[in-house]
Amino acid sequence: MMLSRVAERIYWTGRYLERVANTARLISIYETLLFDLPKTVELSWYNLIIINDLQETFGERYSVRSERNVVKFLLGDDDNSSSLINSLKAARENVRTTRDVVPEEAWEMICELTIYVQDNLEQGINRRSRHEFLEDVIKGCLQINGLLFSTMPHVASWEFFQIGYNLERADMTVRYLEAGLTGILELADDDYAVNSQQVIWGSVLRSLNATQYYLRTTRSPVKGHEVMPYLLNDPAFPKSIAYCIKSIVKSCHCLPRSEPLIEHMGKIEKKLNVKMDFVNPGDELLNFLNQLQILITSSHFVVSDIWFPSD
Amino acid sequence: MSPDLNKPIAWNDYALGDFYDELISSPGHARKPAKKLFSYLKSLNSEDISSRINAAELAIREMGISFTVYTDEGNIDRAWPFDIIPRVIDKKQWDKTDAGLKQRLQALNMFIDDLYNDQKIIKDGIIPEYVLKQSSNYRKECEGMSPPFGVWANICGTDLVRDSDGDFYVLEDNLRVPSGVSYMLENRSIMKRVLPEVFEKVDIAPVGDYPSRLFEMLTSLSPRKIKKPVIVVLTPGIFNSAYFEHAFLAQKMGAELVEGSDLVVQDDDCLYMKTITGLERVDVMYRRIDDLFLDPEVFNKDSVLGVPGLMRAWKAGNLALANAPGAGVADDKVVYAYVPAIIKYYLDEDPLISNVETFLCYEEKQRQHVLANLDKLVIKPANESGGYGMLIGPHSTQKERDKFAQLIKANPRNYIAQPTLSLSTAPTFIGRHNNPEPRHLDLRPFVLQGKSSYVTTGGLTRVAMVKGSLVVNSSQGGGSKDTWIVDTSTEGKS
């Protein structure tokens, strides 16, 4: 038995928790990426704003696109609804309002994490202590995921949590691929290009914790034409889009009235199976990723139409 | 380390007032049930105390124990205010109080059932008719109903105070939607984290079975006699000041926490909730919203908190509501004055717990007495809760007294007066130097009645944190303490 409203809140808990972890990971990886790129490459912190489609809100708050402003905006800005602190507060609010369904300890853990982030936000904004702060946030999220995974009965509430975080993941993965490809296409055709490509794809992999398993699975060095298909279609890697979609379909089979969502996931799978030229990437591929992203984003409305309260 | 912190706490300097102190009987000496606690507290220096206080504050933040305060700037979530020195009551005294609370609620329920049916108590001239005629919480819509076991108020939070004679008195019967029980339970969990050593030494009665007792009681009300009736807790919503408690109780009972928009009454006069599979029937509702918001078809037309048709479902006998609509008729300070008579009338017993002396402004003679003594009395509106709309005579200005004189004359039925009480005190750590100072407190035990009755072991102790103040409400700066019922009969002579 599961209230529609509770289903919605649990779904958002999954999405927001995943968003918190992703934001933390993205910032911590980006730093190392910038260190490794040759100075000729014009990649800036502002790209993080672009990846997350936040240009407008950022523009309203800051005029200077500096590292400090970008990080501050992404971590602790009250006006940025998807800043780390706001995502975490939203996750906490969703847990607070579903306490009858989530494990008791989840509430305490998310309170602890929120307190930690509120008390130490400045550490995250300061470069010297940033890494440690972000690592702690990621660990906090993993801890909560682990708690839910090991204690929550795998009934409807669990499936909604899964659908939430798998959608968020798929969404992130396709955004990172788009960002990576945009960076590659903007590279000047010079001696540094090959090296820069490797640096960029390498950081996309790292942003998704994918490097190690990419290497083991593809037995290939970091090359765009291997990285992209891996992150799109690998059947076993938890952050590949194909895997996220497969997981959502699996959840659908445990839930009532799920046919429209299964159908929608079918569309995404079909898109993933389109043969693309990854060796000589160009605008066509970028366009493909863009369409894929639109399909993934619109999944939310399908979920909402089926299960969530209409008012 | 500053030398200050190593200093023992100056317990001998604890300033006992002219009040009954819950822990300390005379300077440096504890009452019998608090002896072991006291000797433990004496072994702690200022630094130990600080670290215990900090641990309690951290536990409260991490456990997310909060309450919401409504302000002009919006709602603020505040951490639950808590003092680490428990309030201790001897089990022998508590057993008597326990029986008295059950007796009182039984009589009140018989009274409510009578009011909505035969009104014998009025016909027999025990209660004057005006009390009912001018009652703001009497619901005509409930006439002729008789809920399961004839019980209307299944959950009651009675406010007790201890006067300087050391006896408990009932200050208020809260029969509508009393809150605080979750804080009673959380206070105990905090205490176990903060002073685990004492629990090994003292025989403290556990408090944890309240949610399962509540669940059993609610189950017994189900109109469908099925093994697992569907039980829900109705909350006004996630921004309500008591939302923490609603969620807490739903979780501890394994019941669904619902909002009005989750529910619908269909043409079959049954209540359903909207789930991901469709509609599911509800058998019992523990409602945490006031009568007037329950059903826009019957009461407040603009209410979006309730469910249209809820009263139809209840009257058709397809849904149990706890507390039943209309139960608040007995939650009236004029009725309160008659409770000893009510107990006598229905049970033919003398009340085991006394009332506080009460003057009814509706009665000519008593009103004259009240108006002549406004500066000495506490004036209370008959149907408010939360400590609002009161005049505390000795602390009032002439202007305030004039205002209340007007109010009383304009609507005498709506006011009662009581002497100011000498509320008992207990040592409470105040300020940065951790000096224990006496602070006034009350006690809210929770009483359940269905087929049988149950009283929490102890209850929620609320403390007025401001020196000399008698206002214990958390919305107005009150704090709280864990409440220990200690059995001294099992202890050896020590």
Side-chain angles (χ1 to χ4, degrees):
Chain A
M1 176 162 46
M2 165 123 247
L3 286 175
S4 304
R5 182 180 44 73
V6 173
E8 183 175 20
R9 287 180 185 160
I10 299 232
Y11 162 88
W12 281 111
T13 303
R15 286 203 79 146
Y16 280 120
L17 263 185
E18 187 65 19
R19 201 172 290 175
V20 170
N22 285 336
T23 308
R25 186 139 192 103
L26 186 63
I27 295 171
S28 89
I29 299 301
Y30 209 71
E31 181 133 283
T32 51
L33 164 71
L34 292 187
F35 291 154
D36 288 345
L37 282 175
K39 300 289 167 275
T40 54
V41 176
E42 286 186 28
L43 205 59
S44 77
W45 279 93
Y46 189 68
N47 263 44
L48 294 183
I49 303 297
I50 300 173
I51 295 178
N52 290 297
D53 282 329
L54 292 168
Q55 295 94 317
E56 204 174 313
T57 349
F58 184 86
E60 283 163 13
R61 287 288 274 113
Y62 303 98
S63 49
V64 182
R65 298 172 175 184
S66 65
E67 171 258 348
R68 192 178 163 85
N69 283 352
V70 168
V71 173
K72 216 165 132 184
F73 182 74
L74 290 176
L75 285 185
D77 199 299
D78 282 337
D79 295 337
N80 170 13
S81 63
S82 45
S83 69
L84 186 137
I85 184 98
N86 280 338
S87 298
L88 186 56
K89 281 183 189 163
R92 181 183 184 273
E93 183 65 3
N94 280 297
V95 173
R96 181 177 84 87
T97 53
T98 50
R99 284 184 67 193
D100 49 332
V101 178
V102 297
E104 266 179 76
E105 299 85 350
W107 170 239
E108 195 164 333
M109 275 188 192
I110 201 152
C111 285
E112 277 174 29
L113 184 59
T114 315
I115 293 167
Y116 174 78
V117 169
Q118 279 170 336
D119 291 353
N120 296 286
L121 200 57
E122 203 50 39
Q123 272 192 44
I125 294 165
N126 289 333
R127 231 169 170 158
R128 274 183 50 206
S129 47
R130 185 179 299 155
H131 183 73
E132 198 189 335
F133 170 81
L134 294 172
E135 285 295 301
D136 283 343
V137 172
I138 293 167
K139 277 182 204 159
C141 292
L142 286 173
Q143 190 184 28
I144 295 167
N145 278 330
L147 170 80
L148 297 182
F149 185 80
S150 54
T151 60
M152 218 168 152
H154 290 191
V155 293
S157 45
W158 169 252
E159 304 303 344
F160 280 103
F161 181 76
Q162 291 253 334
I163 291 177
Y165 84 72
N166 275 308
L167 263 187
E168 188 70 24
R169 272 188 183 178
D171 184 79
M172 269 295 161
T173 302
V174 74
R175 276 172 198 273
Y176 293 177
L177 283 170
E178 269 189 278
L181 186 58
T182 311
I184 302 285
L185 296 180
E186 282 170 2
L187 284 178
D189 192 6
D190 57 18
D191 297 347
Y192 299 114
V194 175
N195 185 37
S196 298
Q197 281 186 19
Q198 196 169 10
V199 170
I200 290 174
W201 287 124
S203 75
V204 169
L205 284 173
R206 264 182 295 141
S207 316
L208 296 164
N209 290 80
T211 317
Q212 184 185 354
Y213 293 105
Y214 164 82
L215 293 171
R216 285 183 65 88
T217 308
T218 62
R219 300 189 189 177
S220 150
V222 176
K223 297 278 184 201
H225 67 272
E226 294 274 7
V227 172
M228 284 186 280
Y230 178 78
L231 291 178
L232 288 169
N233 274 318
D234 187 81
F237 181 65
K239 287 181 180 174
S240 85
I241 294 174
Y243 186 89
C244 293
I245 301 304
K246 196 173 73 182
S247 306
I248 293 171
V249 173
K250 217 166 124 192
S251 294
C252 283
H253 290 310
C254 307
L255 291 171
R257 303 189 290 167
S258 57
E259 296 78 15
L261 187 59
I262 295 176
E263 196 184 311
H264 188 80
M265 292 297 114
K267 283 187 210 160
I268 298 176
E269 279 170 335
K270 204 170 147 208
K271 188 91 192 161
L272 285 170
N273 288 331
V274 173
K275 284 261 171 294
M276 296 301 297
D277 182 2
F278 293 112
V279 183
N280 302 299
D283 287 342
E284 197 191 345
L285 191 57
L286 201 57
N287 200 24
F288 163 84
L289 290 177
N290 192 28
Q291 287 165 3
L292 189 61
Q293 200 206 320
I294 291 168
L295 272 177
I296 292 170
T297 310
S298 61
S299 309
H300 167 72
F301 301 105
V302 182
V303 174
S304 172
D305 277 351
I306 309 176
W307 290 297
F308 299 163
S310 44
D311 45 27
Chain B
M1 199 183 298
S2 84
D4 206 8
L5 292 174
N6 283 319
K7 265 191 6 202
I9 302 287
W11 281 101
N12 289 337
D13 298 343
Y14 176 71
L16 278 168
D18 297 330
F19 310 101
Y20 181 91
D21 194 89
E22 300 281 338
L23 258 59
I24 310 293
S25 51
S26 61
H29 297 281
R31 294 189 188 280
K32 193 179 172 200
K35 277 204 157 57
K36 286 182 177 174
L37 169 70
F38 188 55
S39 65
Y40 175 75
L41 287 174
K42 277 197 294 191
S43 74
L44 302 176
N45 63 27
S46 184
E47 193 192 9
D48 298 329
I49 296 291
S50 287
S51 79
R52 298 283 198 292
I53 291 174
N54 290 339
E57 278 170 7
L58 185 67
I60 288 164
R61 285 181 75 197
E62 289 188 347
M63 291 159 80
I65 310 171
S66 66
F67 68 103
T68 313
V69 187
Y70 305 118
T71 71
D72 294 341
E73 286 89 47
N75 300 341
I76 303 170
D77 237 14
R78 286 225 190 112
W80 178 243
F82 178 76
D83 180 69
I84 65 165
I85 307 177
R87 178 254 195 105
V88 185
I89 301 168
D90 194 290
K91 183 169 180 295
K92 236 184 274 159
Q93 185 181 26
W94 183 251
D95 289 344
K96 190 189 150 205
T97 311
D98 176 292
L101 289 166
K102 286 174 181 159
Q103 175 199 49
R104 194 172 173 100
L105 186 58
Q106 270 162 22
L108 281 169
N109 272 313
M110 292 169 85
F111 169 68
I112 303 169
D113 203 46
D114 186 20
L115 282 190
Y116 287 112
N117 290 283
D118 304 332
Q119 303 193 345
K120 282 192 218 132
I121 197 165
I122 295 174
K123 289 173 191 155
D124 287 344
I126 310 293
I127 302 245
E129 199 167 8
Y130 81 84
V131 175
L132 184 64
K133 281 243 162 82
Q134 299 182 28
S135 160
S136 62
N137 288 312
Y138 182 78
R139 309 265 173 260
K140 260 196 136 15
E141 298 83 354
C142 301
E143 285 176 358
M145 288 292 293
S146 192
F149 317 111
V151 175
W152 292 69
N154 305 98
I155 301 131
C156 168
T158 312
D159 286 341
L160 299 177
V161 292
R162 214 202 276 260
D163 201 5
S164 43
D165 56 12
D167 285 338
F168 280 115
Y169 291 80
V170 174
L171 189 63
E172 260 178 40
D173 300 287
N174 294 292
L175 303 172
R176 284 173 278 181
V177 281
S179 63
V181 74
S182 61
Y183 297 109
M184 172 193 92
L185 296 165
E186 292 287 53
N187 281 353
R188 179 57 55 85
S189 352
I190 301 164
M191 213 57 202
K192 284 181 178 167
R193 289 193 194 193
V194 175
L195 295 179
E197 308 93 323
V198 190
F199 282 83
E200 289 169 8
K201 293 181 195 139
V202 187
D203 189 3
I204 307 161
V207 294
D209 66 341
Y210 179 81
S212 60
R213 295 301 190 117
L214 177 62
F215 188 73
E216 273 170 32
M217 186 277 289
L218 292 171
T219 305
S220 74
L221 304 180
S222 172
R224 279 197 296 179
K225 294 302 163 204
I226 49 176
K227 220 169 171 193
K228 306 275 174 197
V230 175
I231 296 173
V232 300
V233 178
L234 175 68
T235 173
I238 60 174
F239 299 114
N240 184 266
S241 64
Y243 182 80
F244 171 87
E245 173 154 309
H246 308 155
F248 180 93
L249 289 173
Q251 183 190 52
K252 297 288 177 193
M253 290 193 291
E256 299 292 326
L257 179 64
V258 300
E259 295 167 25
S261 61
D262 296 323
L263 302 167
V264 61
V265 176
Q266 299 256 294
D267 293 339
D268 59 359
D269 287 350
C270 290
L271 178 70
Y272 295 88
M273 57 182 176
K274 301 170 193 168
T275 76
I276 53 164
T277 37
L279 297 179
E280 180 122 15
R281 176 153 171 206
V282 175
D283 298 291
V284 182
M285 175 189 280
Y286 176 19
R287 49 101 173 196
R288 293 294 301 252
I289 68 178
D290 279 330
D291 282 358
L292 295 180
F293 296 101
L294 273 179
D295 182 351
E297 277 183 11
V298 179
F299 302 119
N300 187 342
K301 305 273 175 288
D302 303 322
S303 171
V304 289
L305 303 176
V307 191
L310 198 69
M311 285 295 284
R312 266 191 284 129
W314 179 66
K315 285 177 124 176
N318 294 329
L319 171 73
L321 282 172
N323 291 346
V329 66
D331 196 344
D332 175 322
K333 293 190 178 69
V334 176
V335 171
Y336 164 90
Y338 286 99
V339 173
I342 289 172
I343 293 173
K344 190 79 193 159
Y345 180 76
Y346 292 106
L347 301 174
D348 195 22
E349 291 171 4
D350 290 323
L352 296 171
I353 314 174
S354 305
N355 261 13
V356 175
E357 186 185 16
T358 303
F359 303 101
L360 299 173
C361 295
Y362 192 83
E363 309 281 345
E364 174 70 27
K365 260 193 176 159
Q366 299 185 36
R367 180 170 66 248
Q368 295 315 328
H369 173 79
V370 171
L371 291 171
N373 292 283
L374 281 175
D375 57 335
K376 298 184 194 73
L377 297 166
V378 179
I379 316 297
K380 295 177 177 176
N383 285 293
E384 285 284 338
S385 58
Y388 293 101
M390 289 176 17
L391 176 83
I392 298 177
H395 299 274
S396 65
T397 62
Q398 185 61 43
K399 205 175 151 200
E400 287 166 338
R401 290 194 290 275
D402 291 346
K403 189 184 122 196
F404 267 80
Q406 290 298 320
L407 288 169
I408 291 171
K409 285 176 197 158
N411 188 359
R413 162 65 178 84
N414 198 38
Y415 290 92
I416 59 115
Q418 293 170 336
T420 49
L421 295 166
S422 307
L423 250 58
S424 63
T425 60
T428 304
F429 286 125
I430 301 290
R432 289 208 276 151
H433 299 288
N434 302 331
N435 283 326
E437 292 181 26
R439 287 292 181 270
H440 293 293
L441 36 78
D442 77 351
L443 178 65
R444 176 177 287 184
F446 294 85
V447 193
L448 299 178
Q449 192 185 344
K451 198 175 170 185
S452 58
S453 302
Y454 167 82
V455 179
T456 49
T457 28
L460 175 65
T461 292
R462 301 184 298 175
V463 191
M465 298 302 278
V466 177
K467 191 172 187 172
S469 167
L470 301 174
V471 181
V472 296
N473 305 73
S474 57
S475 53
Q476 299 180 53
S480 76
K481 284 168 171 289
D482 192 15
T483 309
W484 290 1
I485 305 301
V486 171
D487 189 352
T488 49
S489 68
T490 57
E491 290 173 7
K493 284 174 190 160
S494 58

